[in-house]
Amino acid sequence: MMRRLKPFLPFGLMMAVFMLSGCSDMIVLDPKGPVGEEQKDLIMYSIWFMLFILLVVYALTAFIVYKYRDRKNHKGYDPDNEGSHLLETIWWIIPIIIVIALSIPTVKSIYSLEGPPEESKDQKPLVIHATSVNWKWVFTYPEQDIETVNYLHIPEDRPVLFKLTSADSMASFWVPQLGGQKYAMAGMETELYLQADEQGTYEGRNSNFTGEGFTDHTFDVMAMSDAEFEKWASETKAEAPELTKGQYDKLMLPGHVKEMTFSSTHLDWVDHSKNAEYALDARERLGYEEKIPHSRAAKEEKKKREEEMKKQEESESHGDSHAH
């Protein structure tokens, strides 16, 4: 048998290396907060439990194939055996036990993650509105009255309550090392608690496919000390430019933008969880027309937007916008 399989061994090893090379950076299994830690524990429990089931199934398969193989003077094999209440009871009870063993910890985790982490539940959470719009993220700090685009700052060891919504396509908010993911939809609001226990920069992204710009629908989360966060929020409020309705309407156009910071918020004139049509109305006001992806017209419009963005970056150096 091994001699016959030998020619396929190099190919199998090559495919294994190729497929596993994408698993070298499994940040989901390196959590930096209590939410991510609980989700990691649930993932590992499910993996080990299912590996145990696979091991039992393969062992029984090998045993049955060997024991009941076709041979002379075979005793104890009855091909017409049917209606065994004992066997039918066993193969109904085992799947039920498996489903219960996977369901109970999953349901407990889902309900526990709906509230703030247990160890910091007595602290007042920092509230941040996270709004998705193709293909950027707008983060609003209502208590600090400031807003950022494509990045956010949070204090460590303090729960953060994200209020998620979308201006257009349904997106999914996810910071792999802190926890998630949860859907953000236009016309409604969902909530998600996260917390960072270590200072650092964590990658976040939309994990729900939303078209050609989905790949770069990302943001950075910077966790810092409480004093550093308060200092950053105060400086932003004092030094960053105010967000105008005209600027915000341009953010409603599909496309990517660089990181931006403002000393006011769009909540002064729109809440996307209550007004699902605002982005479409803004695009109509700006004369935007949907183009077929990768068509000549779409490429020309993309080039035009990139040129406008370049001009905007140049103007920001003169104080029109404030980068963090």
PDB file of all heavy atoms in Angstrom, residues 132-160:
ATOM      1  N   SER A 132     -20.348  52.227   9.226  1.00  0.00           N
ATOM      2  CA  SER A 132     -19.699  51.735   8.016  1.00  0.00           C
ATOM      3  C   SER A 132     -20.314  52.412   6.797  1.00  0.00           C
ATOM      4  O   SER A 132     -21.534  52.608   6.727  1.00  0.00           O
ATOM      5  CB  SER A 132     -19.891  50.215   7.907  1.00  0.00           C
ATOM      6  OG  SER A 132     -19.477  49.770   6.626  1.00  0.00           O
ATOM      7  N   VAL A 133     -19.444  52.795   5.855  1.00  0.00           N
ATOM      8  CA  VAL A 133     -19.911  53.305   4.557  1.00  0.00           C
ATOM      9  C   VAL A 133     -18.872  52.852   3.544  1.00  0.00           C
ATOM     10  O   VAL A 133     -17.679  52.898   3.811  1.00  0.00           O
ATOM     11  CB  VAL A 133     -20.077  54.839   4.584  1.00  0.00           C
ATOM     12  CG1 VAL A 133     -18.838  55.541   5.056  1.00  0.00           C
ATOM     13  CG2 VAL A 133     -20.492  55.360   3.219  1.00  0.00           C
ATOM     14  N   ASN A 134     -19.307  52.372   2.404  1.00  0.00           N
ATOM     15  CA  ASN A 134     -18.375  51.800   1.414  1.00  0.00           C
ATOM     16  C   ASN A 134     -17.270  52.790   1.038  1.00  0.00           C
ATOM     17  O   ASN A 134     -17.537  53.816   0.449  1.00  0.00           O
ATOM     18  CB  ASN A 134     -19.134  51.395   0.165  1.00  0.00           C
ATOM     19  CG  ASN A 134     -19.984  50.164   0.366  1.00  0.00           C
ATOM     20  OD1 ASN A 134     -19.825  49.437   1.322  1.00  0.00           O
ATOM     21  ND2 ASN A 134     -20.928  49.926  -0.525  1.00  0.00           N
ATOM     22  N   TRP A 135     -16.004  52.517   1.314  1.00  0.00           N
ATOM     23  CA  TRP A 135     -15.398  51.449   2.080  1.00  0.00           C
ATOM     24  C   TRP A 135     -14.504  52.106   3.109  1.00  0.00           C
ATOM     25  O   TRP A 135     -13.291  52.156   2.972  1.00  0.00           O
ATOM     26  CB  TRP A 135     -14.631  50.530   1.148  1.00  0.00           C
ATOM     27  CG  TRP A 135     -15.532  49.782   0.218  1.00  0.00           C
ATOM     28  CD1 TRP A 135     -16.236  48.648   0.517  1.00  0.00           C
ATOM     29  CD2 TRP A 135     -15.853  50.098  -1.130  1.00  0.00           C
ATOM     30  NE1 TRP A 135     -16.984  48.243  -0.578  1.00  0.00           N
ATOM     31  CE2 TRP A 135     -16.767  49.103  -1.603  1.00  0.00           C
ATOM     32  CE3 TRP A 135     -15.490  51.129  -2.000  1.00  0.00           C
ATOM     33  CZ2 TRP A 135     -17.300  49.119  -2.890  1.00  0.00           C
ATOM     34  CZ3 TRP A 135     -16.021  51.141  -3.273  1.00  0.00           C
ATOM     35  CH2 TRP A 135     -16.913  50.140  -3.693  1.00  0.00           C
ATOM     36  N   LYS A 136     -15.164  52.617   4.130  1.00  0.00           N
ATOM     37  CA  LYS A 136     -14.484  53.355   5.207  1.00  0.00           C
ATOM     38  C   LYS A 136     -15.287  53.188   6.492  1.00  0.00           C
ATOM     39  O   LYS A 136     -16.461  52.798   6.463  1.00  0.00           O
ATOM     40  CB  LYS A 136     -14.337  54.834   4.824  1.00  0.00           C
ATOM     41  CG  LYS A 136     -15.651  55.492   4.475  1.00  0.00           C
ATOM     42  CD  LYS A 136     -15.476  56.836   3.785  1.00  0.00           C
ATOM     43  CE  LYS A 136     -15.215  56.700   2.315  1.00  0.00           C
ATOM     44  NZ  LYS A 136     -16.372  56.337   1.474  1.00  0.00           N
ATOM     45  N   TRP A 137     -14.657  53.527   7.620  1.00  0.00           N
ATOM     46  CA  TRP A 137     -15.337  53.465   8.918  1.00  0.00           C
ATOM     47  C   TRP A 137     -15.300  54.842   9.559  1.00  0.00           C
ATOM     48  O   TRP A 137     -14.243  55.474   9.631  1.00  0.00           O
ATOM     49  CB  TRP A 137     -14.652  52.458   9.853  1.00  0.00           C
ATOM     50  CG  TRP A 137     -14.916  51.034   9.499  1.00  0.00           C
ATOM     51  CD1 TRP A 137     -14.133  50.225   8.720  1.00  0.00           C
ATOM     52  CD2 TRP A 137     -16.027  50.233   9.903  1.00  0.00           C
ATOM     53  NE1 TRP A 137     -14.703  48.985   8.620  1.00  0.00           N
ATOM     54  CE2 TRP A 137     -15.861  48.953   9.339  1.00  0.00           C
ATOM     55  CE3 TRP A 137     -17.147  50.474  10.696  1.00  0.00           C
ATOM     56  CZ2 TRP A 137     -16.770  47.923   9.535  1.00  0.00           C
ATOM     57  CZ3 TRP A 137     -18.059  49.441  10.897  1.00  0.00           C
ATOM     58  CH2 TRP A 137     -17.869  48.188  10.318  1.00  0.00           C
ATOM     59  N   VAL A 138     -16.439  55.303  10.042  1.00  0.00           N
ATOM     60  CA  VAL A 138     -16.541  56.580  10.741  1.00  0.00           C
ATOM     61  C   VAL A 138     -16.794  56.282  12.225  1.00  0.00           C
ATOM     62  O   VAL A 138     -17.755  55.585  12.565  1.00  0.00           O
ATOM     63  CB  VAL A 138     -17.685  57.438  10.169  1.00  0.00           C
ATOM     64  CG1 VAL A 138     -17.789  58.758  10.938  1.00  0.00           C
ATOM     65  CG2 VAL A 138     -17.474  57.695   8.676  1.00  0.00           C
ATOM     66  N   PHE A 139     -15.922  56.811  13.102  1.00  0.00           N
ATOM     67  CA  PHE A 139     -16.045  56.557  14.545  1.00  0.00           C
ATOM     68  C   PHE A 139     -16.393  57.865  15.260  1.00  0.00           C
ATOM     69  O   PHE A 139     -15.670  58.860  15.141  1.00  0.00           O
ATOM     70  CB  PHE A 139     -14.749  55.978  15.100  1.00  0.00           C
ATOM     71  CG  PHE A 139     -14.384  54.657  14.480  1.00  0.00           C
ATOM     72  CD1 PHE A 139     -13.387  54.573  13.524  1.00  0.00           C
ATOM     73  CD2 PHE A 139     -15.083  53.507  14.831  1.00  0.00           C
ATOM     74  CE1 PHE A 139     -13.067  53.348  12.936  1.00  0.00           C
ATOM     75  CE2 PHE A 139     -14.772  52.278  14.250  1.00  0.00           C
ATOM     76  CZ  PHE A 139     -13.769  52.200  13.302  1.00  0.00           C
ATOM     77  N   THR A 140     -17.482  57.828  16.003  1.00  0.00           N
ATOM     78  CA  THR A 140     -17.985  59.024  16.685  1.00  0.00           C
ATOM     79  C   THR A 140     -17.912  58.834  18.193  1.00  0.00           C
ATOM     80  O   THR A 140     -18.376  57.817  18.718  1.00  0.00           O
ATOM     81  CB  THR A 140     -19.451  59.279  16.274  1.00  0.00           C
ATOM     82  OG1 THR A 140     -19.551  59.264  14.842  1.00  0.00           O
ATOM     83  CG2 THR A 140     -19.925  60.625  16.808  1.00  0.00           C
ATOM     84  N   TYR A 141     -17.320  59.831  18.867  1.00  0.00           N
ATOM     85  CA  TYR A 141     -17.245  59.839  20.330  1.00  0.00           C
ATOM     86  C   TYR A 141     -18.242  60.884  20.825  1.00  0.00           C
ATOM     87  O   TYR A 141     -17.894  62.080  20.918  1.00  0.00           O
ATOM     88  CB  TYR A 141     -15.831  60.215  20.793  1.00  0.00           C
ATOM     89  CG  TYR A 141     -14.735  59.265  20.379  1.00  0.00           C
ATOM     90  CD1 TYR A 141     -14.284  59.207  19.053  1.00  0.00           C
ATOM     91  CD2 TYR A 141     -14.118  58.431  21.306  1.00  0.00           C
ATOM     92  CE1 TYR A 141     -13.267  58.345  18.674  1.00  0.00           C
ATOM     93  CE2 TYR A 141     -13.085  57.563  20.938  1.00  0.00           C
ATOM     94  CZ  TYR A 141     -12.665  57.530  19.621  1.00  0.00           C
ATOM     95  OH  TYR A 141     -11.654  56.668  19.243  1.00  0.00           O
ATOM     96  N   PRO A 142     -19.480  60.510  21.146  1.00  0.00           N
ATOM     97  CA  PRO A 142     -20.488  61.520  21.508  1.00  0.00           C
ATOM     98  C   PRO A 142     -20.153  62.284  22.786  1.00  0.00           C
ATOM     99  O   PRO A 142     -20.431  63.485  22.872  1.00  0.00           O
ATOM    100  CB  PRO A 142     -21.769  60.690  21.660  1.00  0.00           C
ATOM    101  CG  PRO A 142     -21.318  59.287  21.850  1.00  0.00           C
ATOM    102  CD  PRO A 142     -20.034  59.154  21.124  1.00  0.00           C
ATOM    103  N   GLU A 143     -19.551  61.627  23.785  1.00  0.00           N
ATOM    104  CA  GLU A 143     -19.239  62.324  25.036  1.00  0.00           C
ATOM    105  C   GLU A 143     -18.092  63.319  24.838  1.00  0.00           C
ATOM    106  O   GLU A 143     -18.071  64.382  25.459  1.00  0.00           O
ATOM    107  CB  GLU A 143     -18.867  61.314  26.129  1.00  0.00           C
ATOM    108  CG  GLU A 143     -20.037  60.422  26.528  1.00  0.00           C
ATOM    109  CD  GLU A 143     -19.626  59.403  27.580  1.00  0.00           C
ATOM    110  OE1 GLU A 143     -18.586  59.604  28.225  1.00  0.00           O
ATOM    111  OE2 GLU A 143     -20.344  58.413  27.740  1.00  0.00           O
ATOM    112  N   GLN A 144     -17.142  62.973  23.983  1.00  0.00           N
ATOM    113  CA  GLN A 144     -16.004  63.863  23.727  1.00  0.00           C
ATOM    114  C   GLN A 144     -16.315  64.836  22.597  1.00  0.00           C
ATOM    115  O   GLN A 144     -15.552  65.770  22.358  1.00  0.00           O
ATOM    116  CB  GLN A 144     -14.761  63.032  23.366  1.00  0.00           C
ATOM    117  CG  GLN A 144     -14.176  62.241  24.516  1.00  0.00           C
ATOM    118  CD  GLN A 144     -15.002  61.008  24.898  1.00  0.00           C
ATOM    119  OE1 GLN A 144     -15.800  60.524  24.097  1.00  0.00           O
ATOM    120  NE2 GLN A 144     -14.831  60.524  26.110  1.00  0.00           N
ATOM    121  N   ASP A 145     -17.410  64.575  21.844  1.00  0.00           N
ATOM    122  CA  ASP A 145     -17.831  65.406  20.712  1.00  0.00           C
ATOM    123  C   ASP A 145     -16.740  65.512  19.653  1.00  0.00           C
ATOM    124  O   ASP A 145     -16.412  66.594  19.165  1.00  0.00           O
ATOM    125  CB  ASP A 145     -18.244  66.806  21.209  1.00  0.00           C
ATOM    126  CG  ASP A 145     -19.038  67.574  20.138  1.00  0.00           C
ATOM    127  OD1 ASP A 145     -19.713  66.912  19.328  1.00  0.00           O
ATOM    128  OD2 ASP A 145     -18.953  68.814  20.107  1.00  0.00           O
ATOM    129  N   ILE A 146     -16.150  64.363  19.313  1.00  0.00           N
ATOM    130  CA  ILE A 146     -15.130  64.321  18.257  1.00  0.00           C
ATOM    131  C   ILE A 146     -15.433  63.132  17.348  1.00  0.00           C
ATOM    132  O   ILE A 146     -16.243  62.260  17.686  1.00  0.00           O
ATOM    133  CB  ILE A 146     -13.696  64.180  18.830  1.00  0.00           C
ATOM    134  CG1 ILE A 146     -13.602  62.921  19.708  1.00  0.00           C
ATOM    135  CG2 ILE A 146     -13.321  65.422  19.626  1.00  0.00           C
ATOM    136  CD1 ILE A 146     -12.195  62.657  20.236  1.00  0.00           C
ATOM    137  N   GLU A 147     -14.778  63.123  16.185  1.00  0.00           N
ATOM    138  CA  GLU A 147     -15.036  62.042  15.222  1.00  0.00           C
ATOM    139  C   GLU A 147     -13.750  61.710  14.464  1.00  0.00           C
ATOM    140  O   GLU A 147     -12.947  62.606  14.175  1.00  0.00           O
ATOM    141  CB  GLU A 147     -16.125  62.489  14.246  1.00  0.00           C
ATOM    142  CG  GLU A 147     -16.674  61.367  13.373  1.00  0.00           C
ATOM    143  CD  GLU A 147     -18.082  61.690  12.899  1.00  0.00           C
ATOM    144  OE1 GLU A 147     -19.009  61.678  13.739  1.00  0.00           O
ATOM    145  OE2 GLU A 147     -18.264  61.934  11.702  1.00  0.00           O
ATOM    146  N   THR A 148     -13.557  60.445  14.153  1.00  0.00           N
ATOM    147  CA  THR A 148     -12.396  60.022  13.376  1.00  0.00           C
ATOM    148  C   THR A 148     -12.862  59.143  12.216  1.00  0.00           C
ATOM    149  O   THR A 148     -13.967  58.604  12.236  1.00  0.00           O
ATOM    150  CB  THR A 148     -11.393  59.211  14.232  1.00  0.00           C
ATOM    151  OG1 THR A 148     -12.044  58.009  14.679  1.00  0.00           O
ATOM    152  CG2 THR A 148     -10.917  60.000  15.429  1.00  0.00           C
ATOM    153  N   VAL A 149     -11.993  59.000  11.229  1.00  0.00           N
ATOM    154  CA  VAL A 149     -12.279  58.141  10.076  1.00  0.00           C
ATOM    155  C   VAL A 149     -11.136  57.147   9.928  1.00  0.00           C
ATOM    156  O   VAL A 149      -9.959  57.539   9.867  1.00  0.00           O
ATOM    157  CB  VAL A 149     -12.437  58.967   8.782  1.00  0.00           C
ATOM    158  CG1 VAL A 149     -12.702  58.048   7.587  1.00  0.00           C
ATOM    159  CG2 VAL A 149     -13.565  59.978   8.923  1.00  0.00           C
ATOM    160  N   ASN A 150     -11.481  55.884   9.899  1.00  0.00           N
ATOM    161  CA  ASN A 150     -10.544  54.774   9.648  1.00  0.00           C
ATOM    162  C   ASN A 150      -9.529  54.533  10.756  1.00  0.00           C
ATOM    163  O   ASN A 150      -8.528  53.859  10.540  1.00  0.00           O
ATOM    164  CB  ASN A 150      -9.811  54.957   8.308  1.00  0.00           C
ATOM    165  CG  ASN A 150     -10.732  54.728   7.131  1.00  0.00           C
ATOM    166  OD1 ASN A 150     -11.787  54.106   7.260  1.00  0.00           O
ATOM    167  ND2 ASN A 150     -10.354  55.233   5.976  1.00  0.00           N
ATOM    168  N   TYR A 151      -9.721  55.103  11.920  1.00  0.00           N
ATOM    169  CA  TYR A 151      -8.902  54.745  13.076  1.00  0.00           C
ATOM    170  C   TYR A 151      -9.658  55.173  14.327  1.00  0.00           C
ATOM    171  O   TYR A 151     -10.572  56.004  14.270  1.00  0.00           O
ATOM    172  CB  TYR A 151      -7.522  55.419  13.021  1.00  0.00           C
ATOM    173  CG  TYR A 151      -7.494  56.834  13.523  1.00  0.00           C
ATOM    174  CD1 TYR A 151      -7.139  57.117  14.842  1.00  0.00           C
ATOM    175  CD2 TYR A 151      -7.828  57.891  12.691  1.00  0.00           C
ATOM    176  CE1 TYR A 151      -7.113  58.418  15.308  1.00  0.00           C
ATOM    177  CE2 TYR A 151      -7.813  59.194  13.153  1.00  0.00           C
ATOM    178  CZ  TYR A 151      -7.454  59.456  14.459  1.00  0.00           C
ATOM    179  OH  TYR A 151      -7.439  60.742  14.930  1.00  0.00           O
ATOM    180  N   LEU A 152      -9.285  54.587  15.465  1.00  0.00           N
ATOM    181  CA  LEU A 152      -9.869  55.019  16.725  1.00  0.00           C
ATOM    182  C   LEU A 152      -8.878  54.775  17.860  1.00  0.00           C
ATOM    183  O   LEU A 152      -8.040  53.873  17.784  1.00  0.00           O
ATOM    184  CB  LEU A 152     -11.207  54.338  17.014  1.00  0.00           C
ATOM    185  CG  LEU A 152     -11.249  52.859  17.357  1.00  0.00           C
ATOM    186  CD1 LEU A 152     -12.558  52.526  18.050  1.00  0.00           C
ATOM    187  CD2 LEU A 152     -11.153  52.024  16.095  1.00  0.00           C
ATOM    188  N   HIS A 153      -9.007  55.592  18.874  1.00  0.00           N
ATOM    189  CA  HIS A 153      -8.230  55.452  20.094  1.00  0.00           C
ATOM    190  C   HIS A 153      -9.164  54.997  21.211  1.00  0.00           C
ATOM    191  O   HIS A 153     -10.298  55.484  21.306  1.00  0.00           O
ATOM    192  CB  HIS A 153      -7.590  56.787  20.497  1.00  0.00           C
ATOM    193  CG  HIS A 153      -6.468  57.204  19.600  1.00  0.00           C
ATOM    194  ND1 HIS A 153      -5.630  58.260  19.879  1.00  0.00           N
ATOM    195  CD2 HIS A 153      -6.027  56.695  18.429  1.00  0.00           C
ATOM    196  CE1 HIS A 153      -4.731  58.389  18.934  1.00  0.00           C
ATOM    197  NE2 HIS A 153      -4.960  57.449  18.022  1.00  0.00           N
ATOM    198  N   ILE A 154      -8.672  54.087  22.046  1.00  0.00           N
ATOM    199  CA  ILE A 154      -9.458  53.627  23.194  1.00  0.00           C
ATOM    200  C   ILE A 154      -8.531  53.506  24.409  1.00  0.00           C
ATOM    201  O   ILE A 154      -7.333  53.251  24.257  1.00  0.00           O
ATOM    202  CB  ILE A 154     -10.150  52.269  22.931  1.00  0.00           C
ATOM    203  CG1 ILE A 154      -9.110  51.179  22.673  1.00  0.00           C
ATOM    204  CG2 ILE A 154     -11.134  52.369  21.780  1.00  0.00           C
ATOM    205  CD1 ILE A 154      -9.704  49.778  22.590  1.00  0.00           C
ATOM    206  N   PRO A 155      -9.076  53.678  25.618  1.00  0.00           N
ATOM    207  CA  PRO A 155      -8.254  53.469  26.826  1.00  0.00           C
ATOM    208  C   PRO A 155      -8.186  51.978  27.157  1.00  0.00           C
ATOM    209  O   PRO A 155      -9.147  51.233  26.942  1.00  0.00           O
ATOM    210  CB  PRO A 155      -9.024  54.241  27.895  1.00  0.00           C
ATOM    211  CG  PRO A 155     -10.434  54.241  27.428  1.00  0.00           C
ATOM    212  CD  PRO A 155     -10.412  54.205  25.925  1.00  0.00           C
ATOM    213  N   GLU A 156      -7.034  51.533  27.681  1.00  0.00           N
ATOM    214  CA  GLU A 156      -6.917  50.124  28.053  1.00  0.00           C
ATOM    215  C   GLU A 156      -7.655  49.865  29.376  1.00  0.00           C
ATOM    216  O   GLU A 156      -7.921  50.781  30.157  1.00  0.00           O
ATOM    217  CB  GLU A 156      -5.441  49.736  28.206  1.00  0.00           C
ATOM    218  CG  GLU A 156      -4.736  50.417  29.345  1.00  0.00           C
ATOM    219  CD  GLU A 156      -3.348  49.865  29.581  1.00  0.00           C
ATOM    220  OE1 GLU A 156      -3.101  48.697  29.264  1.00  0.00           O
ATOM    221  OE2 GLU A 156      -2.494  50.636  30.096  1.00  0.00           O
ATOM    222  N   ASP A 157      -7.982  48.613  29.610  1.00  0.00           N
ATOM    223  CA  ASP A 157      -8.627  48.156  30.852  1.00  0.00           C
ATOM    224  C   ASP A 157      -9.954  48.856  31.132  1.00  0.00           C
ATOM    225  O   ASP A 157     -10.353  49.007  32.293  1.00  0.00           O
ATOM    226  CB  ASP A 157      -7.688  48.343  32.058  1.00  0.00           C
ATOM    227  CG  ASP A 157      -6.436  47.484  31.935  1.00  0.00           C
ATOM    228  OD1 ASP A 157      -6.535  46.393  31.371  1.00  0.00           O
ATOM    229  OD2 ASP A 157      -5.365  47.935  32.392  1.00  0.00           O
ATOM    230  N   ARG A 158     -10.631  49.313  30.091  1.00  0.00           N
ATOM    231  CA  ARG A 158     -11.936  49.940  30.259  1.00  0.00           C
ATOM    232  C   ARG A 158     -12.865  49.410  29.161  1.00  0.00           C
ATOM    233  O   ARG A 158     -12.464  49.375  27.983  1.00  0.00           O
ATOM    234  CB  ARG A 158     -11.822  51.462  30.161  1.00  0.00           C
ATOM    235  CG  ARG A 158     -13.162  52.188  30.317  1.00  0.00           C
ATOM    236  CD  ARG A 158     -12.972  53.702  30.196  1.00  0.00           C
ATOM    237  NE  ARG A 158     -14.255  54.383  30.156  1.00  0.00           N
ATOM    238  CZ  ARG A 158     -14.394  55.696  29.917  1.00  0.00           C
ATOM    239  NH1 ARG A 158     -13.327  56.448  29.709  1.00  0.00           N
ATOM    240  NH2 ARG A 158     -15.598  56.252  29.889  1.00  0.00           N
ATOM    241  N   PRO A 159     -14.079  48.998  29.508  1.00  0.00           N
ATOM    242  CA  PRO A 159     -14.975  48.482  28.463  1.00  0.00           C
ATOM    243  C   PRO A 159     -15.377  49.582  27.483  1.00  0.00           C
ATOM    244  O   PRO A 159     -15.541  50.745  27.868  1.00  0.00           O
ATOM    245  CB  PRO A 159     -16.184  47.977  29.257  1.00  0.00           C
ATOM    246  CG  PRO A 159     -16.142  48.710  30.549  1.00  0.00           C
ATOM    247  CD  PRO A 159     -14.697  48.960  30.847  1.00  0.00           C
ATOM    248  N   VAL A 160     -15.483  49.195  26.220  1.00  0.00           N
ATOM    249  CA  VAL A 160     -15.908  50.122  25.171  1.00  0.00           C
ATOM    250  C   VAL A 160     -17.199  49.575  24.564  1.00  0.00           C
ATOM    251  O   VAL A 160     -17.249  48.422  24.132  1.00  0.00           O
ATOM    252  CB  VAL A 160     -14.838  50.261  24.064  1.00  0.00           C
ATOM    253  CG1 VAL A 160     -15.311  51.252  22.992  1.00  0.00           C
ATOM    254  CG2 VAL A 160     -13.507  50.703  24.653  1.00  0.00           C
TER     255      VAL A 160
END
